[in-house]
Amino acid sequence: MTDIHLDQARKTIPPPITQLTLDELKAFPLPRAVESLPTPYLEELTNHHDLLQGYIKQLEAYHAKQQEIIGHLSSLDDILENTIYKQLIKDYEGVIEKINQQIKSINIIYQEFINLETYQYQLLSSNYNQDNLRAKFKKLIEENNQESVEIVKSFGNDKGAYGSETSDESLNDMIEQFKDSRKLYHFRKEKLNRWEEERVSGFL
């Protein structure tokens, strides 16, 4: 709606007023009463600013241009009053009100986000505090230790299933798996000991 009003204002704005030229003013030839004056009086007329100004103002072309300017100003005043003030400003006031409502909605959403974020941190704090993390890490170490035992048991079960013969390759694989598992176990165990002695802040 605002764009339509602006287009309407552009259509109704009168064209710029052109400057009145000397030819359009038609100041010459001088009236006979002036031309018949003695030379000293003519010189005084041409040198006297107020007299020249009075002469120009009584010319018909000057009066016509003056009326054109008055009409132009009247049209502009009408545009300011009816188009810009009564229409555009009201439209912008409506837009401002919508913007204010949207800002209020954004503030409400933002506050909800802050509340949810706070709640999330509270959940994280309760689930991932030092005691809970330490207990989970101990459980992980126990599982790691059990994994080492299972590697040996699995190898023994496979050996019993296929008799006493085992290949060097399978034995070497079992040993490597066991070594890797125990290395990880001792590494984590040392981390836990340091953590409990408060030599480190955690297991990471």
Side-chain angles (χ1 to χ4, degrees), residues 54-73:
Y55 170 69
I56 291 173
K57 285 183 177 180
Q58 58 85 36
L59 294 175
E60 183 178 348
Y62 181 87
H63 282 289
K65 180 61 68 173
Q66 193 175 43
Q67 292 302 315
E68 181 185 353
I69 293 172
I70 293 173
H72 190 91
L73 293 175

Side-chain angles (χ1 to χ4, degrees), residues 115-176:
N115 294 338
L116 290 174
E117 188 178 36
T118 303
Y119 179 66
Q120 181 184 28
Y121 283 133
Q122 290 173 347
L123 290 177
L124 289 173
S125 176
S126 61
N127 292 328
Y128 295 96
N129 56 40
Q130 290 288 320
D131 293 335
N132 285 342
L133 290 175
R134 189 181 289 110
K136 290 179 180 180
F137 193 52
K138 286 181 179 179
K139 184 178 180 181
L140 183 63
I141 293 174
E142 292 172 1
E143 292 175 354
N144 194 196
N145 184 51
Q146 187 62 33
E147 180 186 67
S148 301
V149 175
E150 291 297 328
I151 290 174
V152 177
K153 284 184 178 181
S154 177
F155 180 77
N157 292 336
D158 291 342
K159 181 179 178 181
Y162 295 101
S164 59
E165 296 182 1
T166 56
S167 65
D168 293 338
E169 183 178 356
S170 61
L171 178 61
N172 291 334
D173 288 343
M174 185 275 293
I175 292 174
E176 289 299 323

Side-chain angles (χ1 to χ4, degrees), residues 61-142:
Y62 181 87
H63 282 289
K65 180 61 68 173
Q66 193 175 43
Q67 292 302 315
E68 181 185 353
I69 293 172
I70 293 173
H72 190 91
L73 293 175
S74 177
S75 298
L76 293 177
D77 182 68
D78 181 69
I79 292 171
L80 289 172
E81 175 69 21
N82 297 317
T83 302
I84 295 178
Y85 178 73
K86 291 184 178 179
Q87 296 178 0
L88 294 182
I89 291 181
K90 288 185 178 180
D91 289 344
Y92 282 123
E93 287 175 349
V95 172
I96 291 172
E97 180 62 25
K98 289 181 180 179
I99 292 174
N100 289 333
Q101 292 297 329
Q102 290 176 350
I103 291 174
K104 289 180 181 179
S105 299
I106 291 172
N107 287 334
I108 293 173
I109 294 173
Y110 176 73
Q111 188 59 49
E112 291 177 353
F113 169 77
I114 294 297
N115 294 338
L116 290 174
E117 188 178 36
T118 303
Y119 179 66
Q120 181 184 28
Y121 283 133
Q122 290 173 347
L123 290 177
L124 289 173
S125 176
S126 61
N127 292 328
Y128 295 96
N129 56 40
Q130 290 288 320
D131 293 335
N132 285 342
L133 290 175
R134 189 181 289 110
K136 290 179 180 180
F137 193 52
K138 286 181 179 179
K139 184 178 180 181
L140 183 63
I141 293 174
E142 292 172 1

Side-chain angles (χ1 to χ4, degrees), residues 8 34 39 43-44 54 61 70 80 119 151 158 181-182 188:
Q8 291 175 347
V34 177
T39 302
E43 291 178 355
E44 183 181 356
I70 293 173
L80 289 172
Y119 179 66
I151 290 174
D158 291 342
S181 178
R182 297 312 291 173
R188 288 175 172 171

Side-chain angles (χ1 to χ4, degrees), residues 15-58:
I17 297 176
T18 58
Q19 191 173 10
L20 186 62
T21 64
L22 187 61
D23 291 337
E24 292 174 338
L25 193 59
K26 297 179 180 178
F28 301 101
L30 295 173
R32 290 183 180 180
V34 177
E35 285 184 342
S36 62
L37 290 173
T39 302
Y41 290 103
L42 285 175
E43 291 178 355
E44 183 181 356
L45 174 64
T46 55
N47 293 328
H48 201 291
H49 178 267
D50 291 337
L51 291 176
L52 282 176
Q53 191 177 58
Y55 170 69
I56 291 173
K57 285 183 177 180
Q58 58 85 36

